[in-house]
Every structure is written in structure tokens, then in C-alpha cells.
Amino acid sequence: MSTLSKYLQIDGVAQTFRTATGDFPALRNIDLNVTKGEFVALIGHSGCGKSTLLNLIAGLTRPTEGTLLCANKEIDGPGPERAMVFQNHSLLPWLTCFDNVYLGVERVFGNHARIDGRAKESKAQLKERTDAALAMVGLTHASHKRPGEISGGMKQRVGIARALAMEPQVLLMDEPFGALDALTRAKLQDELLAIVAATHSTVVMVTHDVDEAVLLADKIVMMTNGPAATIGEVLHVALPRPRSRVALADDAQYQTYRKAVIDFLYTRQGHIEKT
Amino acid sequence: MAPPLSVRLKPLVALVLPPLAGFALLLLIWSLVAMGNSSGLPTPLDTWKQALTVFSDPFYSNGPNDQGVGWNVLSSLRRVALGFGLAALVGIPLGFIIGRFEFLSRMINPIISLLRPVSPLAWLPIGLLVFKGANPAAIWTIFICSIWPMVINTAVGVQRVPQDYMNVARVLNLSEWKIFTTILFPSVLPYMLTGVRLAVGTAWLVIVAAEMLTGGVGIGFWVWDEWNNLNVRNIIIAIFVIGIVGLVLEYALIRLATAFTFDEVRT
């Protein structure tokens, strides 16, 4: 039970960056637990260190202080069990959408030393997994196109397919829809809700969009302004699933959650723009 | 209804007219200089007539010092290909290593900075000394002049691989070999091909001068030989031949580079 309730365990994490002008404390005193199957949104003003925290969970950077555990194992580097969807999609432009997804699939399931200890899969099985992942994000028709030939929303969907195809234990998303227009963003949010419901994924998502956070998350982690940012407040969103953005638009409870996040962001953590 | 012929021809005229006017101007100035002084510069028409004779039999061979223009060009191209090929074999891997490892970069960069500005012809005597022959010495000179652009451009390309791609590699936990083949090599390729293009351009410049010094068969030697024969018409023909071959090489390599450059790297 304890592994389930504290699937991702972050204890007393602090991150200080060495810069030319001296030490820059980005994060301090971060304590956070994520349950298996939980959807967590990290929200805060830009520069509050939410991406820094996500990079720590991904293992791309190591904390200056504290520990991060995933399934009771210390996170000591990046790994395919913590797949990441990048803000700028980060697809390799010389590979087709299929090959971009296949790259991750091959690494996880076509490998002799599989993480789950099972035998390595055949080429046909790997291909099937890749096709299934692309079908899940509705991109079967574009699988042989290169990223340069498809729209921004489609690229982001390939990025999600690449991450999901690896069947990660935790899906990390760094403002995945930040660069998209409002309509595409709404469509992808709905698709993500459906995919997460179907796959029971554990998700940690960085966002600066209040509606996105309330619509998607079970738990909204609100961060104070940097430098030396920390978790200001945690809001549990008890809205029933499946959630529909149309029905929620005039739901009183939804508005209460929304108000709580806005209140935190703009009243208590009113951002002072440095010029 | 199709537009009248004059309208349809307009873009073609706009495309062809300026270059034609340029060449006409060149021929005019050339004719004026050839007529105006007694330097012995042949007129364009004289040169054209001579060119017809030269190209009527480009592949004759009367011993090592009297061969057709075709053989001369091919010999020069062969030297360039050899010298350049060896330089690519050494330079491109060296560029990758320098780009990937900070220590080696700091170790080798001062040497490159010191040697790069040196005229490649200064290396010719060293080549003659070490290789005891004119032909390998010329190839050695080409090797030296074409290695720098390839090392430098490849190294810059490796250093400019977007961090995002390397993060992808880290999250997917790809092996070093997979990183090289799927990320490093494709993103460095456009930079590498720029290096190749610069290298071939320089090599083609240098081979003419090197062959003037080493002799044998080659377009550079041909120029020098015709100067000794006071056959200025052939020298002018050689200049055009060198120019056209250089142009073709450049164009082919630009086409190659475009084929391997992807939208998001091109910016």
C-alpha cells in the first residue's frame, strides 16, 4: 500500500544552480508525494522552478539537497520508465513520425536487458506497438510524414505517442500544449483525458494555464515565486471523471477550484515583472 | 485563353537577360583591351577558334608533357579527389572528436588556429621532402588545404546539436552508438557538408598553383606550360575550363547539402 500511496516520493529537495554571477537557488524544501494513477499539475508563474522540478523527476538534473524516489528506488538519472513530453515536442526532424515513436519503443521493448525482465520483442511486435501508439493519438495517416510536414498540434501528439508507447510508469509533461493555439490545445487536452483514463497513467504536468490544471488534474501543486521557490499550496480537485469541459464550464465546484488557483497565483503570488 | 507569347516569355527573359548582359560586357571589355594595346592578348574570336581546335581532340596523348585538355583536367581532379578524400577520412572523425570532448577541443584548437592561415603551398616542400615525388606532394598539399574546413565545420556542428535532442537521447536512454547514428550524425550532416563544399572549393583553387610548381600532367601545369610556349589563347581557355569545373563541383555539392538538410535544422 505504501508504494501505491507514495509512488513518486520527493523529500526535502533543493536545487541551486552555479552561475557566473554566483549561486542561484531555484528550489527549496520541496516535499511531494504522487500516488499511482494520479494526475498532478504543477502550476506557477514563469521562473518559479516548475520545469526545474520536472527535470529533477526526469533525472535530467540531480538535486543539490534531498532525495527523489520512484517506486522506492532513487532517481539517479533519466530512464524510459519516466517518459517525458517536451514543450517544443523535440521530435527528430530527419525521422518520420513512425520512426520517432519507434526509437523509444525499440529501446524499451526491443532490448535484451528489459527493465521488466521479459524477453525482447520481435520487429513485428515493436512495429505493432508503434502503430498502436500513433493510432491512439489519431495519427495513423501521418505516420510516414516527417515532423516538418505536419502541424504543431500533430507534432505534439507524436511527442505524446512517443512517450506513451514506452508504457512509462510516470508520464512527465513540460507545458505540452503551451505553444499551441487555444482550439488545438482544448482538443489535445480532451484526447489526453481519454488516453489517461484508458491507460491509468500517472502524470506530472507542468502548466501555467489555470483551466488546464483544473480540468485535467487530481491534484494541483501551486508553486511560490522564485528564486528559492517552494510549494505554496496543494489543491485536491475532487471533480468526478470523466470530465467534460462543456459541462464543467458552469459547474459551481469547478469555479471554486478555478478561483482558488487564480487567487493563489494573482493575489498571493502576484508576479512582479523584472524589466 | 492562353496569354500571348510575349507575356509567357517574360519570366524567361528576366531570368536569362541579366547574365547574358554580364557576359556581353565581359566580352566587350576583353575585346577592347585586346584591340587597344599591343600586349598580345588574343581577341575573344581568336580564343574561340582555338578552343574549337583544343576541344576537337581533348584526349590526345603525345608523351607526358603534351596531352589533351581532357587528360589535364582529369589528372587534376584525380589529385583533388585523392587529397580531399584522405582529408575527409581524417578531418571528419577528428571534427567529431573535437566537438564532443572539451579537453581535446582545447588541446587541438590552438594548433588549428596556428596552421590554418598558412598558405597550403608552403607545405609543398615538406611534401616533396617526405614523399620524394611531385605527385604525392601535390596530393599532400590538397590534403592540408582541405582538412581545416572539414575539421572546423564538423566540430561546430557537433557543438551545435540542439540540447533538446540530447535530452531526448537521455530520456530514452539511447546507447552511444544509437545517439551517434540517430541524433549526432544527422544533425551534424549539414555542417559537415558545408565543410566539404568549402574544402573542395579551396582544393580546386590550390591544385592549379600546386601543379604549376610540381609539373607533370594537370590543368595547372598546362597553364604554366602554355605560358612557356607563349600560347596565351590556351591560357584563357584554361581559365574558363577551371572556372566551369569549379562551378560544377560547387553546384553539385550545394545540391547534395540541400538534400540532407531538414526543415528544422535549416533555420
Side-chain angles (χ1 to χ4, degrees):
Chain A
M1 191 59 210
S2 70
T3 35
L4 271 184
S5 60
K6 292 180 177 178
Y7 188 63
L8 205 63
Q9 213 177 325
I10 302 170
D11 285 320
V13 161
Q15 176 81 309
T16 305
F17 291 113
R18 287 251 148 79
T19 66
T21 51
D23 286 358
F24 176 80
L27 294 174
R28 65 185 164 88
N29 298 335
I30 302 284
D31 295 297
L32 180 67
N33 292 325
V34 178
T35 317
K36 195 164 177 62
E38 195 172 30
F39 196 126
V40 175
L42 298 175
I43 198 165
H45 290 286
S46 47
C48 73
K50 51 196 192 299
S51 292
T52 306
L53 181 55
L54 198 72
N55 285 341
L56 284 169
I57 301 173
L60 288 170
T61 45
R62 303 298 314 276
T64 325
E65 276 173 47
T67 52
L68 294 104
L69 303 178
C70 176
N72 285 329
K73 239 179 67 195
E74 182 162 18
I75 296 172
D76 58 358
E81 77 278 7
R82 279 163 284 122
M84 181 113 157
V85 177
F86 297 88
Q87 180 176 12
N88 57 0
H89 63 78
S90 294
L91 301 177
L92 302 176
W94 41 85
L95 298 182
T96 60
C97 296
F98 181 90
D99 288 333
N100 265 295
V101 177
Y102 190 82
L103 197 63
V105 172
E106 187 188 33
R107 182 67 189 91
V108 176
F109 302 103
N111 200 307
H112 282 294
R114 275 180 64 170
I115 302 158
D116 53 15
R118 280 187 281 169
K120 93 175 219 189
E121 294 185 2
S122 71
K123 278 242 161 64
Q125 280 171 301
L126 298 177
K127 199 178 164 301
E128 203 175 302
R129 280 181 182 277
T130 308
D131 285 331
L134 284 166
M136 183 152 57
V137 295
L139 281 181
T140 305
H141 63 284
S143 80
H144 290 285
K145 290 200 170 137
R146 289 222 174 84
E149 302 167 319
I150 59 177
S151 69
M154 287 161 87
K155 279 181 223 175
Q156 206 50 267
R157 270 143 74 179
V158 179
I160 293 170
R162 175 172 65 189
L164 286 171
M166 294 157 69
E167 292 185 358
Q169 292 161 345
V170 184
L171 184 61
L172 305 173
M173 308 180 102
D174 190 0
E175 295 187 26
F177 311 132
L180 304 176
D181 65 272
L183 290 176
T184 313
R185 194 186 310 157
K187 191 167 181 305
L188 286 187
Q189 286 165 354
D190 291 342
E191 282 176 18
L192 183 65
L193 271 179
I195 290 169
V196 167
T199 55
H200 307 288
S201 306
T202 309
V203 185
V204 180
M205 176 196 248
V206 164
T207 180
H208 52 226
D209 181 335
V210 176
D211 287 299
E212 182 169 270
V214 180
L215 177 69
L216 298 175
D218 299 309
K219 188 154 92 184
I220 301 177
V221 175
M222 293 176 261
M223 311 230 353
T224 63
N225 286 338
T230 188
I231 294 172
E233 200 174 305
V234 176
L235 179 73
H236 289 270
V237 181
L239 295 170
R241 291 178 188 269
R243 296 175 184 170
S244 141
R245 75 173 61 245
V246 182
L248 286 176
D250 35 42
D251 183 293
Q253 213 183 351
Y254 177 85
Q255 295 300 343
T256 316
Y257 289 129
R258 203 172 171 278
K259 177 83 174 51
V261 179
I262 290 176
D263 187 47
F264 176 86
L265 287 178
Y266 299 102
T267 312
R268 278 178 285 161
Q269 294 294 325
H271 197 49
I272 307 115
E273 282 294 340
K274 277 161 273 176
T275 45
Chain B
M1 200 182 76
L5 191 66
S6 60
V7 174
R8 273 183 291 156
L9 281 181
K10 217 167 182 181
L12 190 71
V13 170
L15 191 73
V16 172
L17 192 66
L20 277 184
F23 278 110
L25 186 68
L26 179 69
L27 284 178
L28 182 73
I29 294 172
W30 177 5
S31 306
L32 287 177
V33 173
M35 282 190 301
N37 72 17
S38 49
S39 65
L41 188 73
T43 62
L45 190 67
D46 271 352
T47 313
W48 176 250
K49 283 177 184 159
Q50 173 70 12
L52 291 179
T53 334
V54 167
F55 285 107
S56 64
D57 185 12
F59 290 104
Y60 74 86
S61 179
N62 298 333
N65 283 337
D66 185 12
Q67 301 200 0
V69 65
W71 288 127
N72 281 307
V73 169
L74 285 180
S75 315
S76 298
L77 281 175
R78 203 177 72 90
R79 288 194 191 99
V80 166
L82 270 172
F84 163 81
L86 289 171
L89 280 181
V90 178
I92 290 171
L94 190 64
F96 269 102
I97 292 169
I98 290 179
R100 199 94 167 86
F101 302 104
E102 170 75 16
F103 179 84
L104 286 169
S105 153
R106 292 172 51 147
M107 189 172 98
I108 296 174
N109 273 339
I111 303 177
I112 295 178
S113 306
L114 175 74
L115 297 183
R116 196 171 56 98
V118 177
S119 164
L121 292 173
W123 292 94
L124 190 64
I126 308 285
L128 288 168
L129 176 77
V130 174
F131 300 108
K132 313 263 187 277
N135 196 41
I139 293 168
W140 156 253
T141 309
I142 296 303
F143 171 84
I144 289 288
C145 79
S146 45
I147 198 168
W148 308 125
M150 286 193 282
V151 173
I152 293 166
N153 280 281
T154 307
V156 166
V158 173
Q159 282 156 357
R160 292 207 187 146
V161 172
Q163 189 55 42
D164 294 338
Y165 298 162
M166 297 315 281
N167 277 344
V168 170
R170 291 180 62 201
V171 168
L172 298 186
N173 208 352
L174 300 177
S175 62
E176 265 303 311
W177 175 246
K178 199 82 186 162
I179 291 177
F180 179 79
T181 55
T182 55
I183 295 177
L184 222 45
F185 189 76
S187 55
V188 173
L189 197 60
Y191 291 90
M192 209 176 84
L193 288 173
T194 303
V196 165
R197 189 160 56 82
L198 293 175
V200 169
T202 315
W204 190 240
L205 283 179
V206 168
I207 191 66
V208 175
E211 285 171 349
M212 283 183 177
L213 294 170
T214 59
V217 184
I219 193 77
F221 169 72
W222 195 56
V223 170
W224 199 245
D225 197 41
E226 297 300 341
W227 169 241
N228 288 333
N229 299 337
L230 280 178
N231 190 344
V232 183
R233 285 174 303 180
N234 277 3
I235 296 177
I236 294 175
I237 292 167
I239 288 172
F240 277 104
V241 169
I242 294 167
I244 290 166
V245 172
L247 200 68
V248 170
L249 286 176
E250 172 96 2
Y251 181 74
L253 287 166
I254 286 179
R255 289 298 297 269
L256 189 71
T258 350
F260 284 103
T261 307
F262 295 90
D263 284 340
E264 303 187 19
V265 190
R266 210 175 272 151
T267 45

